[in-house]
Amino acid sequence: MKAVRSMLLIAAVALSGCASSGSGADSSQQASWWNPLTYHWSSALPWNWFGSTLTATEQGVGGLTASTAMKEDAIKDGLKGDYTLRQGMRSQNGQVIAFWQALDDGKVKLVIYGQSQVERIEVMDSAIASSDGSKVGDAFSNKFSKAFDNCTLASGTDARDVACRAPGSQHLTYVYHGDWHGPEGLMPSDDTLKNWKISKIVWQR
C-alpha cells in the first residue's frame, strides 16, 4: 500500500513538472486555469495528500479506539486504509484469542486484539510514533535512566523482554528487546538495558 503511494507521488511530481512547463499557445492556454498567485503549494505536499501519520495516544492508535468494532471495515477505516488486513485466532491459556494483523509489503506492522471491540493494539511499525514522539527502534536510554519503578518483565511471547509504562500514561507501554544472557525471570541491569530498543508500542484499554 505504501509502495503505491510512492508511485503516485512520483507520477504527480512528473505531471506537475509538465503542467508548469510549456511555451507559445500551450502556455497561454495553461494560464487560463493555472495561476501561481492563487495556487496553494501546500496542497502539493505529500503528507497533505493522504492525511496525517498515525499516532499512538491514550485513546488508541490513529482512529482505532476502545469503541472500534473488531470488524474489517471499522479497523480499515481506523487505520486510514494504509494496511492490508488479515484475520486470525490462536489459543492462549485455554482461551481462544481473536486478532487482526495489519500488513504492509507482506510484513506485520500492527496486531489488534479484542472480542466485540478493540482491547489491545501492538504497534511494530517504526513510522507510527507515540504521543511523546517515541518510535519502534528507539533506545531505552532515550526515555529511561533506570528500570526501577518504570518497568517490569514482559509476559507471554515477549517473556524475555522488558515492558515499561510510557511516562505519564495509563494506556501506553513500550516493550524493549535486546541481548540478555542472564537467568530467566531476572530483570537485566540498567547498564544492559540502555542499549535495548523498542520492539513494539502497546496500547491497552
Side-chain angles (χ1 to χ4, degrees), residues 11-205:
V13 170
L15 289 172
S16 64
C18 294
S20 60
S21 62
S23 59
D26 288 341
S27 296
S28 61
Q29 184 177 11
Q30 171 185 301
S32 66
W33 62 269
W34 186 83
N35 186 339
L37 296 178
T38 60
Y39 183 76
H40 297 287
W41 287 100
S42 62
S43 63
L45 297 175
W47 47 86
N48 286 331
W49 298 358
F50 303 102
S52 58
T53 303
L54 300 179
T55 303
T57 68
E58 287 294 278
Q59 288 70 45
V61 178
L64 297 182
T65 68
S67 62
T68 302
M70 282 289 289
K71 295 182 179 179
E72 184 173 7
D73 289 346
I75 293 173
K76 184 173 291 187
D77 288 345
L79 295 177
K80 301 182 180 180
D82 285 352
Y83 304 88
T84 300
L85 297 182
R86 180 171 67 192
Q87 190 175 27
M89 301 181 75
R90 63 183 173 83
S91 178
Q92 180 176 309
N93 299 326
Q95 294 183 326
V96 176
I97 306 297
F99 59 86
W100 284 92
Q101 292 178 330
L103 299 88
D104 182 40
D105 291 333
K107 297 180 180 179
V108 177
K109 298 295 186 177
L110 300 95
V111 183
I112 302 99
Y113 297 92
Q115 295 299 318
S116 60
Q117 294 174 309
V118 172
E119 299 174 7
R120 176 184 172 94
I121 306 168
E122 297 180 354
V123 176
M124 287 78 77
D125 191 341
S126 59
I128 299 177
S130 69
S131 50
D132 67 7
S134 298
K135 293 183 178 182
V136 169
D138 285 358
F140 177 89
S141 57
N142 285 8
K143 191 63 58 179
F144 304 98
S145 60
K146 58 185 179 64
F148 184 72
D149 278 346
N150 296 310
C151 312
T152 60
L153 291 174
S155 59
T157 57
D158 304 315
R160 291 190 65 83
D161 295 340
V162 171
C164 306
R165 181 73 71 181
S169 173
Q170 295 182 354
H171 300 280
L172 291 177
T173 299
Y174 304 139
V175 177
Y176 290 90
H177 178 81
D179 291 332
W180 170 236
H181 304 292
E184 187 174 346
L186 182 66
M187 177 74 73
S189 68
D190 293 334
D191 190 55
T192 297
L193 285 173
K194 69 181 181 182
N195 295 317
W196 283 29
K197 311 291 186 184
I198 294 178
S199 61
K200 63 179 67 172
I201 297 172
V202 178
W203 175 87
Q204 185 89 32
R205 186 166 66 183

